[in-house]
Amino acid sequence: MQRNPFREGMPKERVAEPCAMVIFGATGDLTRRKLVPALYNIARDRLLPPGFAVIGLARRDLSDQTFRDDMRGAVNEFSRSRPVVPEVWDDFARGLSYVSGDFADASAYTRLAEALKRVDRERGTRGNHLFYLATRPEQYPEIIARLGQAGLAGSESAPWSRIIVEKPFGHDLESARELNRQAHEVFTEKQIYRIDHYLGKETVQNIMVMRFCNGIFEPLWNRKYIDHVQITVGEDLGTERRGAYYDHAGALRDMVQNHMLQLLCLTAMEPPVVLAADEVRNEKVKVLHAVRPIEGPDVAREVVRAQYGPGFMGGKEVPGYLDEEEIAAGSKTETYVAMRLYVDNWRWAGVPFYLRTGKRLRKRVTEIAIQYRAVPHQLFSGPETGGVEPNVLALRIQPDEGISLKMTSKTPGAAVALQPVVMEFRYGTSFGVEPPEAYERLLLDCMIGDSTLFTRRDEVEAAWEFVNRILDAWRAPDAPPLYRYEAGTWGPREADALIDRWRRL
């Protein structure tokens, strides 16, 4: 029988051990919009371990019952499966409790330790603890240090302790290295789960399955057959309520350093020997090390940055970036980045990868598009045929998750007229179920101890090394210009100089 390394690496059962989860920042938006709705959906699907408990920790003074009521309202508002099923909620809510305290106050961690002991005793969570930092990034070092001082860091093995750190993981290479150093003073690398919710999306996970399980794709996944790759992450919203954070970060830090480079790695990586966390992450790190640096004068040629001005979205006038709330007067923060980069290895030498992301673009869409080379000799190239468009394999990550393949076909009739046609697969219609949200998969993976979809220390630092060179060029006296684009468009005209034609989405 032929050996299947991917099947060998798959866990036979995805069953988590009993555990308790502590959410720092339990009254914040992330907890309300994503974390508790995701945990409820995991419970609804009967995948939570028995006795699972959640302890929320934040500064507001709340009773356990008030916290439960607030979280029920959050699930009813934001869960993909709503309204709540009373019997599911009642069972889930019995494990919800709350501890009030300041993240910098040592006594808060004493109360937290007491609450965990009570939960371990009453719920049978066996001393297995998962800490989620749903707070501002500048609070990460304080919380990590306090957990260590309170003796809550635990170990890798049972009873285990794990910590999930939200992005952004650092503001640049130096701060990322310092945060890694601080985290490793308390936790081991195997205990640290750096979360990027893009990696929990079904279509992102399906990249490896599609490539490595289908013989019609992997042999063609290289420089001989692929002309170029386009990765687009378009947002139709502005800064919303994140103006202060976004003006400090910008599109390069907020999207390229994490989400987009993760998509690049999964698209360009070599097949791992087995589907195990470190084997997969080793291959992703190799891609980042192979990305050709963009620095100095090359930044002006290979990278375009821009900021949106006033425009129209859905027929309604919207303000420009400088008129948004919490944006500094005269801010030079980029809301759009496009770049051309190369992965200098045997598989991808000479194949350009085009990345673009921005706010207030024409529509919300995340897509990886692989455009294939033209056939070596065109038999149907006359004007009467209508021309031949290139084959494109597109992986739609959001919305309408799915995969499409564009190819050329003859239209019905006596004349030889050509027309592009699309073969399409969509998750919703093909499987008849709504795919789980990213946080559902990632939270369950962390409970199980599967770090495949979480980023490792060297991966984070390698991504920052690439991005830092661009940031340095933008801070230089002879920095490339910050262009403007109208809200509701696909970005500045200057980005068109990078590529013959961006995909029409």
Side-chain angles (χ1 to χ4, degrees):
M1 182 180 293
Q2 186 178 11
R3 173 176 173 267
N4 186 337
F6 291 95
R7 188 63 196 170
E8 290 174 16
M10 291 182 182
K12 293 179 174 63
E13 294 182 354
R14 292 180 55 81
V15 178
E17 298 177 26
C19 60
M21 178 174 172
V22 178
I23 302 177
F24 290 89
T27 57
D29 266 4
L30 179 61
T31 301
R32 288 180 49 80
R33 290 173 177 270
K34 297 296 183 182
L35 301 184
V36 171
L39 291 170
Y40 166 79
N41 287 329
I42 298 171
R44 187 174 179 273
D45 293 339
R46 301 182 180 181
L47 295 174
L48 275 183
F52 179 77
V54 174
I55 300 175
L57 194 153
R59 285 180 296 179
R60 288 174 56 191
D61 187 14
L62 301 177
S63 67
D64 289 349
Q65 189 56 49
T66 301
F67 179 60
R68 291 173 187 141
D69 292 342
D70 286 351
M71 292 303 102
R72 179 166 185 158
V75 171
N76 269 323
E77 185 175 359
F78 299 113
S79 171
R80 67 178 173 88
S81 55
R82 57 183 186 265
V84 298
V85 179
E87 55 269 27
V88 176
W89 174 258
D90 291 344
D91 183 61
F92 175 69
R94 277 192 285 271
L96 296 182
S97 59
Y98 185 83
V99 172
S100 176
D102 190 282
F103 302 143
D105 182 4
S107 66
Y109 296 83
T110 301
R111 295 193 299 275
L112 175 61
E114 293 170 354
L116 284 168
K117 288 178 182 177
R118 174 182 54 79
V119 165
D120 289 339
R121 182 177 63 254
E122 296 177 359
R123 304 281 296 177
T125 48
R126 302 180 188 175
N128 296 322
H129 302 149
L130 170 58
F131 302 101
Y132 199 115
L133 305 191
T135 68
R136 297 195 308 272
E138 57 267 27
Q139 294 173 315
Y140 296 167
E142 178 83 57
I143 296 171
I144 291 169
R146 294 287 184 183
L147 286 171
Q149 293 163 9
L152 293 173
S155 66
E156 298 175 11
S157 56
W160 50 256
S161 292
R162 297 170 188 148
I163 185 166
I164 299 181
V165 184
E166 268 283 346
K167 84 170 189 74
F169 200 87
H171 187 70
D172 53 19
L173 178 58
E174 182 180 355
S175 61
R177 283 175 172 164
E178 176 60 17
L179 183 53
N180 276 326
R181 185 194 64 77
Q182 293 167 334
H184 281 94
E185 286 183 349
V186 179
F187 296 94
T188 67
E189 180 62 30
K190 288 187 177 179
Q191 292 177 278
I192 302 170
Y193 288 68
R194 301 171 188 84
I195 194 168
D196 183 339
H197 72 274
Y198 261 55
L199 295 183
K201 293 180 181 293
E202 284 289 336
T203 314
V204 172
Q205 297 171 51
N206 208 31
I207 295 173
M208 287 196 294
V209 175
M210 188 197 66
R211 284 186 58 188
F212 303 137
C213 293
N214 294 287
I216 63 173
F217 292 128
E218 181 56 24
L220 309 181
W221 208 272
N222 56 61
R223 63 185 299 275
K224 183 177 179 181
Y225 299 101
I226 293 176
D227 181 79
H228 71 267
V229 177
Q230 293 187 36
I231 302 177
T232 299
V233 179
E235 299 181 273
D236 55 1
L237 298 176
T239 59
E240 303 308 301
R241 291 180 293 180
R242 299 170 67 236
Y245 160 74
Y246 194 87
D247 203 40
H248 186 60
L252 186 66
R253 290 184 174 96
D254 189 50
M255 297 299 296
V256 177
Q257 186 274 334
N258 39 75
H259 300 332
M260 299 199 77
L261 289 183
Q262 287 294 323
L263 297 179
L264 170 72
C265 287
L266 290 171
T267 304
M269 65 184 279
E270 295 297 320
V273 176
V274 294
L275 195 63
D278 277 339
E279 296 296 336
V280 171
R281 296 190 291 184
N282 287 344
E283 297 303 333
K284 289 164 63 182
V285 170
K286 289 178 185 177
V287 174
L288 292 172
H289 287 319
V291 173
R292 185 185 304 172
I294 304 175
E295 55 190 337
D298 291 339
V299 173
R301 289 191 295 269
E302 305 294 342
V303 184
V304 171
R305 60 171 174 161
Q307 188 183 91
Y308 68 83
F312 290 85
M313 302 291 302
K316 296 181 180 180
E317 190 172 4
V318 296
Y321 179 74
L322 295 177
D323 295 319
E324 299 276 18
E325 294 182 8
E326 300 182 324
I327 302 303
S331 171
K332 299 298 183 183
T333 298
E334 79 287 352
T335 63
Y336 175 98
V337 175
M339 66 176 65
R340 176 175 52 208
L341 59 80
Y342 294 87
V343 179
D344 289 336
N345 61 17
W346 194 270
R347 182 185 290 263
W348 295 109
V351 176
F353 287 75
Y354 299 96
L355 279 59
R356 60 172 169 169
T357 182
K359 287 191 172 295
R360 287 295 189 203
L361 298 185
R362 185 167 296 171
K363 63 191 293 188
R364 172 179 174 264
V365 60
T366 300
E367 181 192 80
I368 302 169
I370 295 95
Q371 181 164 315
Y372 288 88
R373 297 186 184 278
V375 295
H377 176 63
Q378 287 286 0
L379 296 175
F380 304 96
S381 57
E384 69 281 357
T385 67
V388 178
E389 294 191 15
N391 300 125
V392 176
L393 178 66
L395 291 79
R396 178 67 64 91
I397 293 164
Q398 65 178 14
D400 304 322
E401 294 94 334
I403 301 170
S404 67
L405 176 62
K406 185 176 77 171
M407 53 191 178
T408 301
S409 177
K410 177 187 175 298
T411 61
V416 180
L418 308 181
Q419 181 174 312
V421 295
V422 176
M423 295 176 62
E424 197 162 29
F425 149 72
R426 292 192 178 186
Y427 276 93
T429 55
S430 296
F431 296 114
V433 295
E434 184 182 5
E437 292 192 350
Y439 278 97
E440 297 173 36
R441 169 66 188 269
L442 295 172
L443 288 173
L444 187 59
D445 277 2
C446 190
M447 294 176 208
I448 293 168
D450 182 354
S451 57
T452 304
L453 299 179
F454 295 82
T455 51
R456 201 170 58 192
R457 174 179 185 164
D458 53 348
E459 191 177 346
V460 169
E461 294 182 7
W464 273 120
E465 282 188 48
F466 172 76
V467 166
N468 243 53
R469 293 183 175 97
I470 300 173
L471 290 171
D472 288 344
W474 287 353
R475 286 190 290 260
D478 57 347
L482 176 70
Y483 298 108
R484 306 287 175 182
Y485 64 100
E486 184 180 335
T489 67
W490 277 114
R493 290 190 302 271
E494 289 79 6
D496 296 338
L498 295 176
I499 184 174
D500 290 338
R501 191 180 79 175
W502 292 101
R503 266 176 62 78
R504 299 188 182 96
L505 301 171

